[in-house]
Amino acid sequence: MNTALAKEELERILDQAVQDVTEQTAGVCLRQDNQSPGEDLCTVRITFDKGFHTSLTLCADTGLLSRMACNSFHEESISPEDLEEFSKEYFNVLCGRIARAMFQVTNVPAHFSPPVFYHGRYEPEGSEVQFMLTYSDGDCGGAQFIHHVPRVDEDGTV
């Protein structure tokens, strides 16, 4: 993805997917904002292993993900296992939407790994942030959607 199209176009595709999928699957309206998530975080990550050599990471307030899961499951509260399961499934749907949108623009078929869930903030090794989109739900929940590219050493090796 990092060379398949302009960064601005990629940001637009990712932003539209985040907003659409979040509202459709969890009934939460996320909008770009400068407010970073708080301290109690969860991270979900995928790696594109075919088509593109990048990864996508969502780092979000646990409270925001819990609210999204409760909305999706039509429950008032959820277990930690439900939170993890929801987060991975939500991210799988989101990344599927992104892969489809990317194919429509680039004609490059993509395949990504199953989502991996982490408590706290997870920073992948060997990668660097190409860009980050920061969101707020308008209440007190925040999220960062991060596009990572392989780190290139000074000598040009990945």
Side-chain angles (χ1 to χ4, degrees):
M1 274 189 285
N2 48 326
T3 59
L5 64 142
K7 178 180 168 250
E8 294 76 22
E9 177 68 5
L10 180 57
E11 285 181 4
R12 186 195 63 74
I13 289 170
L14 297 181
D15 177 52
Q16 189 66 56
V18 166
Q19 291 187 41
D20 290 349
V21 169
T22 304
E23 192 159 353
Q24 291 167 2
T25 63
V28 172
C29 182
L30 291 180
R31 295 293 176 241
Q32 284 199 41
D33 194 340
N34 292 329
Q35 180 181 339
S36 295
E39 297 294 319
D40 184 15
L41 303 172
C42 295
T43 303
V44 191
R45 180 172 190 268
I46 63 97
T47 302
F48 283 95
D49 51 20
K50 178 183 174 198
F52 305 106
H53 301 288
T54 62
S55 65
L56 297 171
T57 304
L58 177 72
C59 185
D61 286 315
T62 302
L64 173 61
L65 288 174
S66 293
R67 193 173 105 214
M68 291 168 57
C70 286
N71 288 353
S72 181
F73 295 154
H74 305 287
E75 299 286 340
E76 289 189 27
S77 64
I78 57 162
S79 69
E81 294 80 16
D82 289 339
L83 175 65
E84 179 175 342
E85 190 60 35
F86 167 79
S87 298
K88 291 191 300 189
E89 185 58 30
Y90 160 78
F91 206 59
N92 193 53
V93 170
L94 175 59
C95 293
R97 173 81 59 94
I98 290 166
R100 183 174 69 233
M102 292 299 300
F103 179 77
Q104 291 172 340
V105 173
T106 66
N107 287 323
V108 175
H111 180 268
F112 53 90
S113 65
V116 180
F117 179 86
Y118 305 91
H119 289 282
R121 181 178 292 278
Y122 175 80
E123 299 286 338
E125 292 183 26
S127 295
E128 60 187 46
V129 174
Q130 183 184 37
F131 63 84
M132 179 183 328
L133 303 174
T134 303
Y135 295 91
S136 172
D137 68 351
D139 291 327
C140 58
Q144 293 174 325
F145 192 65
I146 306 162
H147 181 245
H148 289 97
V149 295
R151 181 173 291 126
V152 178
D153 294 331
E154 291 179 19
D155 64 1
T157 61
V158 178

